[in-house]
Amino acid sequence: SVSVIHQHNDDVSLLLNNNASSSASFAGAAIMSTHPRDYSIVDSVVSDLRDRSYRAVPCYGIHPWFLHEVLHASDDDDSNSFDD
């Protein structure tokens, strides 16, 4: 069975505490970003979960709501914000 926990922070302990109070078992997670500024947080959470022997898959993306920020940042400094 698959449980879905939708959480908007990088506190792994909250995720694991939610799992402990749930009747579902937690084996792993897909950790997702919505903006390049979140990529390092995704990496950190995935690493923390893996250190605790959970399966974790990093997923990097840009939500359409933030696309204009990324495109404008790229235009302003002539760098590729997608590589952050």
Side-chain angles (χ1 to χ4, degrees):
S1 123
V2 175
S3 289
V4 175
I5 299 173
H6 190 122
Q7 184 170 316
H8 286 266
N9 61 47
D10 60 346
D11 189 345
V12 173
S13 64
L14 288 176
L15 178 65
L16 298 177
N17 288 340
N18 283 341
N19 178 57
S21 64
S22 164
S23 62
S25 71
F26 175 78
I31 307 300
M32 301 173 192
S33 66
T34 59
H35 194 285
R37 69 176 163 247
D38 302 330
Y39 293 175
S40 63
I41 295 170
V42 168
D43 291 338
S44 175
V45 171
V46 166
S47 177
D48 195 1
L49 286 170
R50 287 177 176 170
D51 287 347
R52 298 171 191 232
S53 299
Y54 290 100
R55 290 178 294 209
V57 177
C59 304
Y60 306 96
I62 301 170
H63 193 285
W65 290 346
F66 302 124
L67 190 56
H68 71 282
E69 292 177 16
V70 175
L71 293 176
H72 289 303
S74 181
D75 290 344
D76 291 343
D77 65 11
D78 229 9
S79 69
N80 188 348
S81 295
F82 295 98
D83 291 337
D84 288 345

